[in-house]
Amino acid sequence: MLFLLSGPSGVGKGTVRKALFKKEPHKLLYSISATTRKPRRGEVDGRDYFFTTKSKFEEMINAGQMLEYAQYVDNYYGTPKNWIDDQREQGNDVFMEIEVNGAMQVRAKVPDAILIFLLPPDLMQLRNRLELRGTESDEVIDERLKTARQEILMMTNYDYAVVNDKVDRAVKKVQTIIDAERLKAKRLANGYMKILEV
């Protein structure tokens, strides 16, 4: 299966994903993105990102080999479709953490992906989280909140919604969604059809 965690900037996607992956056994593979930016100190190709050139990335876009992608500050970031397809064919469940626009690209290309929308308890708490980062001006934060309002309206395109009021509680809800999806009869049926030789 392909699980996708998405939501507005500052909602805590990375924090929830990291906490989920610390729980054992989670049996999930974290999706590795490709990027055209240079590796930062300590980053390893094929573990942190697939580092590539701009021309190669654009070739992959034109060949339909990117599941989703975006451009930020003159660099591309995106998910190679072949890597996701290979992992799923091997029976691995893959977990992605991406922005809302990327999630909508995935929804269009992988209809059976399970999309989880992470919500802030309210917009004031989202503002507080963005301010606590200390990395952006008030104008940038205002713009992010404006975008967040628009993204929250897109929540109905997702399969599930989880409020991130406390990280542990949000992680438990995401894990519950994963467990429930793994127990769906239609997913188990294929294995049993082979056993019964139907």
Side-chain angles (χ1 to χ4, degrees):
M1 290 179 284
L2 177 59
F3 294 98
L4 192 152
L5 184 68
S6 183
S9 177
V11 77
K13 296 181 293 294
T15 303
V16 168
R17 194 264 308 160
K18 287 173 188 167
L20 173 68
F21 271 62
K22 283 182 182 172
K23 293 194 174 293
E24 293 295 335
H26 58 72
K27 295 181 183 173
L28 295 164
L29 285 180
Y30 183 54
S31 171
I32 302 170
S33 295
T35 185
T36 58
R37 76 160 171 76
K38 299 292 182 204
R40 294 181 183 135
R41 177 177 284 167
E43 289 182 330
V44 177
D45 185 50
R47 183 192 73 192
D48 300 293
Y49 283 96
F50 295 116
F51 293 100
T52 188
T53 63
K54 192 170 185 179
S55 60
K56 177 68 176 165
F57 200 108
E58 288 172 345
E59 282 176 28
M60 292 170 72
I61 292 170
N62 294 332
Q65 295 174 355
M66 297 305 294
L67 191 56
E68 57 81 29
Y69 70 94
Q71 193 169 12
Y72 299 106
V73 195
D74 204 36
N75 282 308
Y76 285 110
Y77 295 83
T79 306
K81 187 176 183 305
N82 291 347
W83 188 87
I84 298 285
D85 291 345
D86 289 347
Q87 296 306 321
R88 294 182 75 195
E89 284 170 18
Q90 293 172 38
N92 295 317
D93 291 337
V94 180
F95 194 92
M96 295 178 71
E97 168 207 326
I98 58 173
E99 299 301 321
V100 173
N101 287 337
M104 294 301 97
Q105 291 178 52
V106 174
R107 171 59 90 203
K109 293 176 184 168
V110 187
D112 68 339
I114 297 109
L115 275 60
I116 305 166
F117 194 88
L118 196 63
L119 286 156
D122 56 55
L123 288 179
M124 184 53 72
Q125 287 196 40
L126 184 60
R127 173 177 277 285
N128 292 342
R129 289 177 189 177
L130 290 168
E131 288 174 349
L132 283 172
R133 284 180 174 177
T135 57
E136 293 158 341
S137 68
D138 287 341
E139 292 79 17
V140 172
I141 289 172
D142 288 340
E143 193 59 39
R144 286 194 182 274
L145 288 172
K146 183 179 172 186
T147 301
R149 283 186 171 91
Q150 295 166 344
E151 290 173 336
I152 289 169
L153 291 173
M154 297 171 71
M155 178 175 50
T156 56
N157 296 311
Y158 287 69
D159 302 299
Y160 300 94
V162 171
V163 176
N164 186 17
D165 50 357
K166 293 199 181 300
V167 172
D168 288 345
R169 191 163 23 208
V171 168
K172 282 180 187 172
K173 289 177 182 176
V174 171
Q175 187 62 62
T176 299
I177 291 165
I178 292 167
D179 291 342
E181 286 290 335
R182 286 177 171 159
L183 293 173
K184 281 193 170 175
K186 68 180 179 182
R187 296 194 199 287
L188 296 172
N190 289 338
Y192 278 88
M193 293 303 162
K194 290 174 188 167
I195 292 169
L196 298 170
E197 295 181 352
V198 175

